[in-house]
Amino acid sequence: AQKVTQAQTEISVVEKEDVTLDCVYETRDTTYYLFWYKQPPSGELVFLIRRNSFDEQNEISGRYSWNFQKSTSSFNFTITASQVVDSAVYFCAPKAWEGAGSYQLTFGKGTKLSVIP
Amino acid sequence: GAGVSQSPSNKVTEKGKDVELRCDPISGHTALYWYRQRLGQGLEFLIYFQGNSAPDKSGLPSDRFSAERTGESVSTLTIQRTQQEDSAVYLCASSLGGRGRWDEQFFGPGTRLTVL
């Protein structure tokens, strides 16, 4: 089973600031997946990234970047030069690689990001 | 192409009544998931369908909850004798499924259920 902690309940930043959303997970699996989803005010979850546990390379996609540290069980998400459209709730979600329940995403409570113009 | 659709978008019901929520997955997606999201919380897994295999119902919170899926198409989530604690947004997701665990889940817009 997996567990995820997103310690930051709400964050407010001024537009163009950088912001990092923390994610710490717990798992007994040696291999697993990690996902980030965005939930804008409209409510529909949008997939952002997936990462498997044996690939520790950091990833950058435009203004988004992810820092995966297996040693500390963290998978943090940074938005550079934030924009108002980034305002949403962001969820980190681990998923088992195989076995019972390996199709389930385990969601944390999410971090609500507000970008102020 | 069309994404995952859910209906109704909003449902208000009285305590004790039964409700039925519908999900239309993306065409060709063999896997279908139901999640529940209470206000200010993350998503809780409810049930998973994969093709014609027996569904995994391990996340259903009580026997008042049930779900069906015909083949690889529409799914309905039924809540009998609704209680106020059932108030939440019910989200459906679908994915390509099959043996790959990597596949991305695509979510619908959800049904907001309010039990008075």
Side-chain angles (χ1 to χ4, degrees), chain B residues 4 6 9 12 21 31 34 42-43 46-48 60 63 65-67 70 72 76-77 87-88 95 98-99 106 111 113:
Chain B
V4 178
Q6 292 185 247
S9 55
V12 179
L21 313 180
W34 283 97
L43 281 70
L46 295 178
I47 190 169
Y48 162 70
L60 294 178
D63 58 10
F65 287 72
S66 62
T70 305
E72 296 181 354
T76 55
L77 176 69
S87 296
S95 69
R99 291 182 61 82
F106 293 82
T111 293
L113 174 66

Side-chain angles (χ1 to χ4, degrees), chain B residues 4-26:
Chain B
V4 178
S5 61
Q6 292 185 247
S7 60
S9 55
N10 278 286
K11 177 72 178 178
V12 179
T13 190
E14 293 179 350
K15 179 181 172 181
K17 295 283 180 69
D18 297 351
V19 295
E20 209 171 79
L21 313 180
R22 177 187 168 106
C23 172
D24 280 274
I26 293 172

Side-chain angles (χ1 to χ4, degrees), chain A residues 33 37 39 50 95 103, chain B residues 37 42 56 101-102 104-105:
Chain A
Y33 297 108
Y37 278 85
Q39 188 175 39
R50 60 180 170 235
K95 189 169 88 144
Y103 36 78
Chain B
Q37 185 177 26
D56 179 345
R101 305 298 188 186
W102 182 249
E104 170 192 343
Q105 294 180 26

Side-chain angles (χ1 to χ4, degrees), chain B residues 38-106:
Chain B
R38 289 193 164 119
L39 187 64
Q41 303 295 311
L43 281 70
E44 304 169 67
F45 167 79
L46 295 178
I47 190 169
Y48 162 70
F49 295 91
Q50 172 57 59
N52 293 316
S53 302
D56 179 345
K57 306 178 183 180
S58 61
L60 294 178
S62 78
D63 58 10
R64 295 186 295 104
F65 287 72
S66 62
E68 292 185 350
R69 187 183 187 195
T70 305
E72 296 181 354
S73 60
V74 171
S75 174
T76 55
L77 176 69
T78 301
I79 308 173
Q80 295 178 308
R81 305 181 301 282
T82 51
Q83 303 293 313
Q84 288 182 333
E85 64 261 27
D86 299 334
S87 296
V89 176
Y90 290 82
L91 290 153
C92 175
S94 70
S95 69
L96 285 171
R99 291 182 61 82
R101 305 298 188 186
W102 182 249
D103 60 339
E104 170 192 343
Q105 294 180 26
F106 293 82

Side-chain angles (χ1 to χ4, degrees), chain A residues 52-104:
Chain A
N52 59 52
S53 56
F54 50 81
D55 180 2
E56 294 195 57
Q57 273 195 327
N58 291 326
E59 184 157 340
I60 298 174
S61 175
R63 297 185 297 107
Y64 297 168
S65 62
W66 288 268
N67 184 309
F68 176 38
Q69 297 285 336
K70 196 171 182 179
S71 59
T72 56
S73 298
S74 66
F75 187 42
N76 296 337
F77 172 36
T78 297
I79 302 174
T80 303
S82 59
Q83 300 176 0
V84 173
V85 293
D86 296 328
S87 297
V89 180
Y90 290 86
F91 292 97
C92 175
K95 189 169 88 144
W97 180 271
E98 60 185 356
S102 59
Y103 36 78
Q104 294 177 31

